Amino acid sequence: MRRAELVMALVMAAFSAYLMWKSTELPIGWIPDEGPGGGAFSFWLAAVMLISCIAILIRWVRRTSPVAQSTEPYMDRQSLVLIAIVAGSLTAMIALIHVVGAYLAVALFLVFYVRFLGRHSWRVTLALAVGTPIFTFFFFDVNLRIFLPKGITEPLFYPLYEIFL
Amino acid sequence: MEILGHLLDGFAIAFEFQNLLLVIIGVTVGLFVGAMPGLGSVNGVAILLPVTFAVPPTGAIIFLAAIYYGAMYGGAISSIMLGIPGASTAVATTFDGRPLALQGKADHALIAAATASFAGGTISVILFTLFAPPLAAVALAFGSPEIFALMMLAFATFIGLGSDDIPKTIFSICIGLVLSTVGYDVISGEPRLLFLDITGFLHGINFLVLAIGIYGIGEMLWTIETSQGKMTVSQATLSISRFFDGMRKLTGSIKTMLMGSFLGYFVGILPAAGATPGSLMAYGVAKTMAKDPASYGKGNVDGVVAPEAANNAASTGSMLPMITLGIPGSPTTAILLGGMVIWGLEPGPRMFIEQTEFVWGLIGSLYVANLFSVIINLAFIPVFLWVLRLPFTILAPMIFVACVIGGFAPIQDMHDVWLMLIFGVVGYLMRKLDYPMAPAVLAIVLGPLAEPALRQSLLISDGSFAIFFERPISGGIMAVTIFVFVLPIYRAIRTRLRGSSAGGAA
C-alpha cells in the first residue's frame, strides 16, 4: 500500500507538471481588455494539483494518512489476476471494435466472460451473446440512428439497413 | 397559489402516456440498480444517460429522476436481505435491517423501508415544491461573481464537510476542472491542452466519458475485487396478513419518519453531503432520541425507518440546488445537470421562466415516481429477491458492454471509449488509495460554467479578486465558503491542542 501511494503521488505530480507546461501554450497572464489568457485557469489549477501531490508526499513521509500507514498489500495476487483478466478482455473488446465492429466484438466479449470466466452454460452464454447485439442494433442503429462502428463486418449490415432504415 | 397552478400543469405532463411509462420503467430500473450490490443511483444514471437520447428532454429527466428515486428504495432490499448495502446510501439500513432479517422479520424490515422511503420522498418533494420557485427567483439576480462564488462553496463543502483526505480531495476537484478545459478555449477560440497532440481531444472531454469510466467501469472493477466471497440471501415470508401487521407496527415510527425526512432533505442540499451522510446522521439522531437506544443495531424497526426516510429525502434535496442554481447537490445530480447541457438546455434559475414544462414536469413526476416506487417495491419483492441471486458474472459483462456503447454514443468517436477505459482503470486504482471520485465528476460538469464565470468576473473588476467579496451576495457566499474551508483546519488544531495537553498531563 505504501509503495502504491508513493508511486501514484509521483505519477500524478508528474502529470500535474505536464498540465502546467501544456497550459503555457496559451497565454497564462493578463491580456488587456480580454481578461485572463486561455491557459491561466488550467495553469493555476494544475499548480494546485502539484501542491496537493506534494502534500500527499509529505504525509507519506510523515506517515500521517491511513494509506501511508497501511501495511496491507495494495492488491493480493488473486485479485490482481482477476482484475487483469477483466481489464484485459475489456481492452481487447474495444480494440476489436476497430477491426470487426461493435456487434461482433460485443458478442465475443460476452462469450468469453459468461462462458469462460463465469462458467455458465452455453445456452445462457449464447442467449446473451446473440440477444445483446440484436437489442443494441435496434435501439441505437435503428431507433436512435446512432451508428455503431461496423469495421470489416459493414457489408453484412447492408441488407439490414435496407429493411429497417 | 401560482405554485399550485404550475404543479397541476406538472402533473398533467407527468401523466402523459409516454412520461408515465418512462416513470414506471425508470422506477423499476432504479429499484433493480439500487438492489444490486455494487450499483447505486449514480451508476445507473451515468450508464443509462445515453439511452435517453431517444426521448425529448422532459421525458429524459423524468426517466433519470425516476431511476434516482427507485434506486433509493432498492438500496434497502439488499441491505436487509444480503446484509450488504445495495448502494452506499443504504449503509445505515444494514445496521438494523440485517438483524431483523436474521430474526425472521425480513418482511417487516422491507415494509418499513418502503414506507419510510415513501414518507421521506413525499415530504421532501413538498418542501422542494415550496422552496424551489422563491430560491430560483432570488438566483435570477445572480451575476457571474455570484455564480462563481456558489461553485466555490460547492467545492468547499467537499473539503470542509467531506470525510476524505483533504489533499486528495483538492487534487480530485482540480483535476476535474482541468479536464473540463480540454478542447477549445471558448474566449479566444484556440485549441488547448490537447494531450500528446491527439486530435480526438479537440472536441473536449465529455463529462459522461469520465462519469461512465468512474461509475461504470471503475465501479465494476471495484465490486469484482471486493465481492469475491459468497453472499447469502435471507428468506422473506410474505402474506397479506403479515403485510397489514407490518404496516400497523409502523404507526409508532411516524416521529422517526418525520425527523429522517426533514434532516435528509436539508443535508441533501449540500453538495458534499447528500444521501449517504444524511442517512447515517438520521440513524444517529434516531438512536439518541430513542427511549431504548440499546435496542438499535439489534433489530429496531426505527433503525430502518430513519435512514430510509433520510436517503430518499436527501435525493430530492440534492435536486434543489441543481434545478434552481445550476449547482448539483450530489454526484447523481451532477450527471443529470450534465445531461441537461447535452439535451440543449441551459441549467440555472432561468429554467423556471424559460423551461417551465421541463421544470414542472420534473417536479410533478417526482410525486408520481414516489407513488410508483412504493407500489412496485412492495408488489414485486419476490422478483427483486430473485434478481439478487443473479450471478455477477452475467451482470458485470452486460454493464461493461453498456458502458462501452454508452461511451461511444454521445459524440460517436472511439477516442472517447478509450479515454473512458483509461479513466475507469486509473480511477479504480486511485480509489483504492482513498482518492475521492465524486469531486472530480462534479468539477468536470461545473468546469465549463466556472471558467467563463471567473473570467467574466475578473474582466468586470479589471483583474481584481476583490469583486467576489465586495458584492453583497457573492461576499456573503464567499464568507460561508471560507468558513467551511477552514473548518477542518480548525478541527485539526483543536485535536492537536487537546492531544498535546492530554500528553502533558500524562
Side-chain angles (χ1 to χ4, degrees), chain B residues 24-168:
Chain B
I24 294 172
I25 299 172
V27 162
T28 313
V29 171
L31 280 162
F32 172 81
V33 161
M36 292 305 303
L39 288 179
S41 62
V42 64
N43 314 97
V45 169
I47 297 168
L48 289 172
L49 202 149
V51 172
T52 64
F53 299 158
V55 291
T58 309
I61 188 92
I62 286 175
F63 175 68
L64 293 179
I67 294 181
Y68 194 11
Y69 254 79
M72 290 295 155
Y73 281 80
I77 299 176
S78 49
S79 290
I80 292 165
M81 303 310 288
L82 297 175
I84 299 167
S88 68
T89 48
V91 171
T93 313
T94 57
F95 300 162
D96 278 281
R98 186 59 179 166
L100 277 168
L102 294 175
Q103 291 160 21
K105 290 187 223 155
D107 54 334
H108 283 178
L110 289 170
I111 291 165
T115 316
S117 297
F118 180 69
T122 308
I123 292 170
S124 60
V125 174
I126 295 169
L127 289 174
F128 181 86
T129 315
L130 298 175
F131 276 81
L135 187 58
V138 172
L140 272 178
F142 286 6
S144 301
E146 284 77 21
I147 291 169
F148 186 74
L150 268 177
M151 290 178 187
M152 288 294 102
L153 177 59
F155 292 128
T157 56
F158 279 100
I159 296 161
L161 306 177
S163 49
D164 297 300
D165 188 288
I166 290 169
K168 287 173 182 171

Side-chain angles (χ1 to χ4, degrees), chain B residues 46-299:
Chain B
I47 297 168
L48 289 172
L49 202 149
V51 172
T52 64
F53 299 158
V55 291
T58 309
I61 188 92
I62 286 175
F63 175 68
L64 293 179
I67 294 181
Y68 194 11
Y69 254 79
M72 290 295 155
Y73 281 80
I77 299 176
S78 49
S79 290
I80 292 165
M81 303 310 288
L82 297 175
I84 299 167
S88 68
T89 48
V91 171
T93 313
T94 57
F95 300 162
D96 278 281
R98 186 59 179 166
L100 277 168
L102 294 175
Q103 291 160 21
K105 290 187 223 155
D107 54 334
H108 283 178
L110 289 170
I111 291 165
T115 316
S117 297
F118 180 69
T122 308
I123 292 170
S124 60
V125 174
I126 295 169
L127 289 174
F128 181 86
T129 315
L130 298 175
F131 276 81
L135 187 58
V138 172
L140 272 178
F142 286 6
S144 301
E146 284 77 21
I147 291 169
F148 186 74
L150 268 177
M151 290 178 187
M152 288 294 102
L153 177 59
F155 292 128
T157 56
F158 279 100
I159 296 161
L161 306 177
S163 49
D164 297 300
D165 188 288
I166 290 169
K168 287 173 182 171
T169 307
I170 297 175
F171 182 85
S172 182
I173 294 168
C174 292
I175 198 168
L177 287 171
V178 172
L179 291 177
S180 79
T181 67
V182 171
Y184 284 100
D185 170 20
V186 274
I187 293 179
S188 67
E190 281 175 82
R192 64 175 168 183
L193 285 181
L194 307 182
F195 301 132
L196 309 169
D197 295 316
I198 299 168
T199 49
F201 285 109
L202 273 176
H203 59 57
I205 299 177
N206 194 306
F207 83 97
L208 253 188
V209 172
L210 182 72
I212 299 181
I214 286 174
Y215 290 117
I217 291 175
E219 189 85 41
M220 280 297 105
L221 292 175
W222 176 270
T223 312
I224 287 168
E225 194 202 329
T226 48
S227 73
Q228 288 169 356
K230 288 255 179 284
M231 299 183 256
T232 43
V233 184
S234 296
Q235 291 295 321
T237 39
L238 268 178
S239 67
I240 303 286
S241 64
R242 282 185 70 98
F243 175 78
F244 283 109
D245 188 36
M247 290 299 261
R248 212 169 312 120
K249 286 200 173 134
L250 276 176
T251 46
S253 304
I254 290 173
K255 218 173 80 184
T256 316
M257 248 178 236
L258 288 174
M259 181 278 296
S261 306
F262 280 93
L263 184 75
Y265 178 75
F266 289 104
V267 173
I269 295 173
L270 301 168
T276 308
S279 58
L280 287 166
M281 278 169 70
Y283 184 87
V285 173
K287 194 174 167 179
T288 33
M289 273 177 22
K291 290 186 213 99
D292 48 349
S295 68
Y296 277 76
K298 294 180 189 140

Side-chain angles (χ1 to χ4, degrees), chain A residues 27-38 40, chain B residues 187 454-456 458-460 462-463:
Chain A
I28 58 164
W30 183 263
I31 306 169
D33 299 328
E34 248 187 61
Chain B
I187 293 179
L454 173 68
R455 286 166 79 169
Q456 275 159 16
L458 289 180
L459 200 54
I460 299 170
D462 205 25

Side-chain angles (χ1 to χ4, degrees), chain B residues 208-496:
Chain B
L208 253 188
V209 172
L210 182 72
I212 299 181
I214 286 174
Y215 290 117
I217 291 175
E219 189 85 41
M220 280 297 105
L221 292 175
W222 176 270
T223 312
I224 287 168
E225 194 202 329
T226 48
S227 73
Q228 288 169 356
K230 288 255 179 284
M231 299 183 256
T232 43
V233 184
S234 296
Q235 291 295 321
T237 39
L238 268 178
S239 67
I240 303 286
S241 64
R242 282 185 70 98
F243 175 78
F244 283 109
D245 188 36
M247 290 299 261
R248 212 169 312 120
K249 286 200 173 134
L250 276 176
T251 46
S253 304
I254 290 173
K255 218 173 80 184
T256 316
M257 248 178 236
L258 288 174
M259 181 278 296
S261 306
F262 280 93
L263 184 75
Y265 178 75
F266 289 104
V267 173
I269 295 173
L270 301 168
T276 308
S279 58
L280 287 166
M281 278 169 70
Y283 184 87
V285 173
K287 194 174 167 179
T288 33
M289 273 177 22
K291 290 186 213 99
D292 48 349
S295 68
Y296 277 76
K298 294 180 189 140
N300 189 326
V301 172
D302 278 359
V304 174
V305 167
E308 278 305 307
N311 67 21
N312 270 63
S315 62
T316 318
S318 65
M319 285 195 213
L320 182 73
M322 171 191 82
I323 204 96
T324 54
L325 307 173
I327 309 274
S330 68
T332 312
T333 45
I335 293 167
L336 294 180
L337 192 82
M340 290 182 205
V341 177
I342 296 186
W343 303 322
L345 301 170
E346 208 179 307
R350 298 199 64 78
M351 297 241 297
F352 271 84
I353 300 167
E354 286 158 7
Q355 302 287 346
T356 47
E357 189 197 312
F358 179 88
V359 170
W360 290 100
L362 168 66
I363 295 174
S365 83
L366 293 179
Y367 287 87
V368 183
N370 246 306
L371 191 63
F372 278 102
S373 294
V374 75
I375 294 171
I376 295 173
N377 186 347
L378 289 175
F380 292 101
I381 284 176
V383 179
F384 291 111
L385 295 184
W386 176 78
V387 162
L388 285 183
R389 294 205 180 86
L390 188 71
F392 204 64
T393 41
I394 287 181
L395 187 74
M398 300 296 281
I399 288 169
F400 281 132
V401 168
C403 290
V404 167
I405 296 169
F408 177 82
I411 328 183
Q412 290 145 53
D413 187 346
M414 281 304 287
H415 167 85
D416 282 357
V417 180
W418 285 109
L419 203 58
M420 178 191 74
L421 178 68
I422 294 168
F423 284 147
V425 174
V426 175
Y428 157 75
L429 294 174
M430 294 181 81
R431 185 174 162 192
K432 281 176 72 75
L433 293 169
D434 293 346
Y435 286 81
M437 291 295 133
V441 173
L442 204 75
I444 199 169
V445 172
L446 288 183
L449 310 165
E451 194 197 356
L454 173 68
R455 286 166 79 169
Q456 275 159 16
S457 308
L458 289 180
L459 200 54
I460 299 170
S461 70
D462 205 25
S464 161
F465 280 92
I467 186 170
F468 297 113
F469 300 92
E470 284 164 2
R471 292 165 61 119
I473 298 176
S474 79
I477 300 169
M478 283 313 258
V480 179
T481 305
I482 290 167
F483 172 75
V484 174
F485 195 86
V486 295
L487 259 181
I489 301 172
Y490 166 74
R491 252 184 266 144
I493 291 170
R494 206 181 53 176
T495 44
R496 189 165 294 178

Side-chain angles (χ1 to χ4, degrees), chain A residues 38-105:
Chain A
F41 191 64
S42 50
F43 177 83
W44 291 109
L45 284 167
V48 177
M49 279 167 65
L50 188 60
I51 294 167
S52 305
C53 289
I54 293 167
I56 293 166
L57 287 170
I58 292 171
R59 287 166 70 101
W60 182 84
V61 172
R62 297 175 54 188
R63 295 177 190 249
T64 39
S65 69
V67 190
Q69 291 165 2
S70 172
T71 50
E72 281 175 44
Y74 180 61
M75 236 188 217
D76 59 47
R77 197 163 168 77
Q78 198 189 350
S79 328
L80 185 70
V81 171
L82 190 63
I83 294 291
I85 293 174
V86 172
S89 62
L90 197 55
T91 312
M93 164 169 65
I94 299 174
L96 272 177
I97 291 176
H98 288 280
V99 186
V100 299
Y103 294 104
L104 192 54

